[in-house]
Amino acid sequence: MRQKYFVLSEELDSISQNGLLRNLLPLPSTTGKFIYEGREIINLSTNDYLNLSTSPEVIKAGIESLEKYGAGVTASRLVTGHLPIHEKLENSLAQLTDFESSLVFGSGFLSNLGVINAIANRNDEIYADKLNHASLIDGVLLSGAKSFRYKHKDLDHLEMLLKNSKTTGKKIIISDSVFSMDGDIAPVKELFELSEKYEAFLIVDEAHAIGVFGNGGGITKSLGQNYKPDIVLGTLSKAIGCYGGFASVNKILQKYFINKSRTFIYSTGLPPSCIGSAISAIDLIKNDISLGNKLLKNAKIFHSLLESSGFSMNKFESQIIPVLIGDNKKTLEFSEKLFNNYDIRAVAIRPPTVPLGTARLRLSVSLAHTEEDLKLSAEKIRLCAKEIGIL
Ligand code: PMP
């Protein structure tokens, strides 16, 4: 091996020794249930919550847009990459989330980087929940703003920080609504009240709530017009089953981000197939507002089955259900055994994605899973946990 690679490979060895190596495993499907090497696998790590990624309507709409407009738009939307369907998708998202307007980006990660980096600069202060998603953390770092991370969902801590602020610049509060690795829900209403009291902007990332809560429009939509954050961030890549990200905002902010968001200005517009599919998926969500509740009902059943098996569980809040193990290698062993011997895909989530000592299986329920699938899976998870000595 060439000398310059030694240091990288040493680092990889150390990652591996700590049970933290990540590997790619190609699977025939990314949905909640699929056949792999002749075995039916229940995929409890999917974000395809509403099982829309393979919906025939969603696929058909994607193909129609692909055929009409081509495979890609090959330029920023501010140059020649802007199609009428970009606007159609944005209008549909604005309606779904109950906002004046939306702006679509290349992915959820790019929305988050672009929005935070545009609105915040070195003279501003950002107040961020300690368990916010990596894309929000990176957006804060990129902006150069002074940042404070308040204890997870701790409103007293947040208020203490806001009270002590001496900035003459903007104050910006940022939180996930449904936290991606714990599945718990931020006190969005109270965050809004604090943002009003201290004249701060409020940004809420609804990546895991869109399609599921608030008739598909997210937690903030379920709170109504009186508690609207300034910015709702979302993704087209989870419950919507496609790819891309967005920010729902008022007209001033939309104009501001079109002019200031570097990930919007300097990156190619979303491809037609993604747009066509996303519009169709959102229509399905709007036309059947029971989808999210159906998912949550199944998730609650699954949660109580796991709890009654003896796992120590957080209280049920969403379709994301973590089973905390702690030790990295044990979590990995649990995940591998579930896949190889019990036909369950449950990816081991380890640091730095989650805090040190909190490795876990982050289970998620999808509408691809029947109640029977969930009962069987809970039983298999219990048996496997007994086999490796964690129950
Ligand atoms: N925000 C949260 C809370 C997420 O969990 C994710 C994806 N894991 C993103 C943003 C990024 O979205 P995307 O996958 O569309 O880039």
Side-chain angles (χ1 to χ4, degrees):
M1 191 192 310
R2 290 178 63 186
Q3 187 66 30
K4 64 185 179 185
Y5 284 98
F6 274 135
V7 59
L8 305 184
S9 113
E10 264 173 19
E11 198 180 333
L12 283 172
D13 287 346
S14 143
I15 290 173
S16 184
Q17 274 154 23
N18 290 318
L20 291 173
L21 197 69
R22 298 165 192 247
N23 288 303
L24 286 168
L25 174 68
L27 291 169
S29 162
T30 54
T31 56
K33 195 153 67 165
F34 55 82
I35 305 292
Y36 177 71
E37 295 179 345
R39 300 184 287 139
E40 184 177 80
I41 305 290
I42 301 296
N43 180 7
L44 291 170
S45 289
T46 185
N47 291 325
D48 190 5
Y49 301 128
L50 303 180
N51 199 27
L52 291 180
S53 75
T54 50
S55 143
E57 284 112 304
V58 173
I59 292 172
K60 184 163 169 274
I63 293 172
E64 279 167 11
S65 287
L66 176 73
E67 285 178 345
K68 184 162 177 193
Y69 296 105
V73 298
T74 72
S76 161
R77 287 172 62 196
L78 286 162
V79 186
T80 59
H82 184 54
L83 295 167
I85 51 172
H86 284 104
E87 280 185 16
K88 187 172 174 198
L89 173 58
E90 285 169 348
N91 290 337
S92 178
L93 283 164
Q95 201 189 44
L96 179 73
T97 51
D98 227 352
F99 267 82
E100 220 170 70
S101 50
S102 290
L103 189 67
V104 171
F105 293 73
S107 73
F109 206 109
L110 288 173
S111 317
N112 294 4
L113 288 189
V115 159
I116 298 169
N117 189 32
I119 199 165
N121 62 53
R122 236 174 292 164
N123 305 316
D124 301 328
E125 288 183 349
I126 293 179
Y127 301 83
D129 189 289
K130 207 148 197 173
L131 294 189
N132 276 352
H133 187 257
S135 54
L136 299 172
I137 296 171
D138 288 2
V140 173
L141 287 174
L142 199 61
S143 74
K146 190 166 178 195
S147 75
F148 302 88
R149 292 178 81 182
Y150 60 90
K151 288 183 213 148
H152 184 48
K153 299 197 299 189
D154 188 332
L155 294 163
D156 292 338
H157 188 207
L158 171 58
E159 178 151 25
M160 193 265 283
L161 293 168
L162 286 164
K163 215 180 257 173
N164 290 339
S165 167
K166 298 199 173 41
T167 185
T168 51
K170 295 188 235 41
K171 294 192 274 288
I172 303 161
I173 301 169
I174 307 180
S175 178
D176 284 14
S177 65
V178 173
F179 286 88
S180 56
M181 294 300 136
D182 293 83
D184 58 337
I185 298 176
V188 180
K189 193 169 153 195
E190 290 78 5
L191 289 176
F192 174 84
E193 285 164 349
L194 283 178
S195 75
E196 288 284 282
K197 185 167 172 189
Y198 292 93
E199 289 193 55
F201 283 88
L202 175 61
I203 303 180
V204 178
D205 182 346
E206 298 254 47
H208 296 274
I210 294 293
V212 180
F213 291 88
N215 292 342
I219 300 278
T220 54
K221 181 171 179 178
S222 67
L223 297 175
Q225 282 300 338
N226 291 340
Y227 299 97
K228 273 261 165 283
D230 300 280
I231 302 169
V232 156
L233 296 164
T235 176
L236 308 175
S237 327
K238 301 186 195 298
I240 294 174
C242 306
Y243 194 72
F246 67 92
S248 282
V249 286
N250 63 23
K251 290 277 180 213
I252 300 172
L253 280 173
Q254 190 201 40
K255 192 168 176 183
Y256 190 78
F257 293 137
I258 290 172
N259 284 277
K260 299 274 293 187
S261 268
R262 292 168 67 82
T263 59
F264 180 84
I265 301 170
Y266 299 108
S267 187
T268 300
L270 206 62
S273 57
C274 287
I275 302 172
S277 286
I279 292 171
S280 160
I282 296 164
D283 283 346
L284 291 173
I285 292 169
K286 285 178 183 163
N287 292 337
D288 184 356
I289 55 169
S290 71
L291 292 176
N293 285 339
K294 212 182 288 172
L295 176 74
L296 291 171
K297 182 174 153 267
N298 285 354
K300 191 160 197 257
I301 294 171
F302 188 51
H303 179 276
S304 33
L305 287 168
L306 292 168
E307 195 159 50
S308 50
S309 296
F311 290 106
S312 119
M313 310 287 291
N314 296 337
K315 92 176 188 312
F316 172 77
E317 291 191 59
S318 75
Q319 76 282 13
I320 299 169
I321 302 173
V323 174
L324 210 73
I325 311 297
D327 180 71
N328 299 331
K329 289 184 182 161
K330 206 70 190 165
T331 311
L332 206 54
E333 183 191 350
F334 195 13
S335 166
E336 284 172 358
K337 199 147 248 160
L338 277 172
F339 188 62
N340 295 329
N341 301 357
Y342 292 90
D343 302 336
I344 286 177
R345 178 82 171 141
V347 176
I349 305 288
R350 294 156 288 161
T353 306
V354 290
L356 226 58
T358 71
R360 69 198 65 184
L361 299 185
R362 175 226 183 244
L363 306 180
S364 51
V365 175
S366 146
L367 286 184
H369 307 138
T370 62
E371 212 176 303
E372 224 22 67
D373 291 332
L374 295 172
K375 279 184 187 151
L376 191 64
S377 299
E379 178 56 9
K380 286 179 172 180
I381 292 168
R382 186 185 72 80
L383 289 173
C384 184
K386 278 210 172 297
E387 191 185 329
I388 63 169
I390 55 173
L391 257 192

